Amino acid sequence: MIVLALLYMALGFGALTALAIMILRIGALLGDCPQSRATARAAAVTIATGFAAIGAGGVILVGAMLPLLANAPLAGFLAALGFAALCLGLGFTQAVGTLRALMMDSAKAKPATA
């Protein structure tokens, strides 16, 4: 059971790290435009930090339920990992949507000069 719990934590935090890096990279790509560079980078760092904090709490909470599933350790491991991946994916979708909305608001606030 200890091995499965450690494997769960490694995979859960690995997925969390990968998704947070993806948010930062999306922000960097959005920051290629000179008009929105500062907004995109600041928003990406802020959103990625919030995502990492909430996601870490979620991974830990789901992992804390693993001992309750001691009768079927492999099934519990797979269910916990699947649930954590689902929650992280939904959080990632929300984070990218927030980043996109901030960029849209920034574009409306600063009219383009030709």
Side-chain angles (χ1 to χ4, degrees):
M1 185 68 181
I2 295 292
V3 172
L4 289 177
L6 291 174
L7 184 60
Y8 164 79
M9 290 302 220
L11 292 173
F13 283 116
L16 177 65
T17 302
L19 291 172
I21 290 170
M22 286 174 62
I23 293 169
L24 291 172
R25 292 211 176 167
I26 290 169
L29 289 173
L30 290 172
D32 285 344
C33 175
Q35 289 180 326
S36 62
R37 178 173 291 141
T39 302
R41 290 185 179 167
V45 169
T46 304
I47 291 168
T49 303
F51 172 76
I54 293 170
V59 168
I60 291 169
L61 280 174
V62 172
M65 293 189 305
L66 280 174
L68 299 175
L69 305 168
N71 293 339
L74 185 59
F77 165 75
L78 293 174
L81 192 60
F83 184 67
L86 176 70
C87 292
L88 289 173
L90 290 171
F92 175 77
T93 302
Q94 181 66 32
V96 171
T98 302
L99 182 59
R100 184 173 177 257
L102 284 171
M103 295 308 299
M104 296 286 271
D105 289 345
S106 175
K108 288 178 185 175
K110 296 179 186 175
T113 57

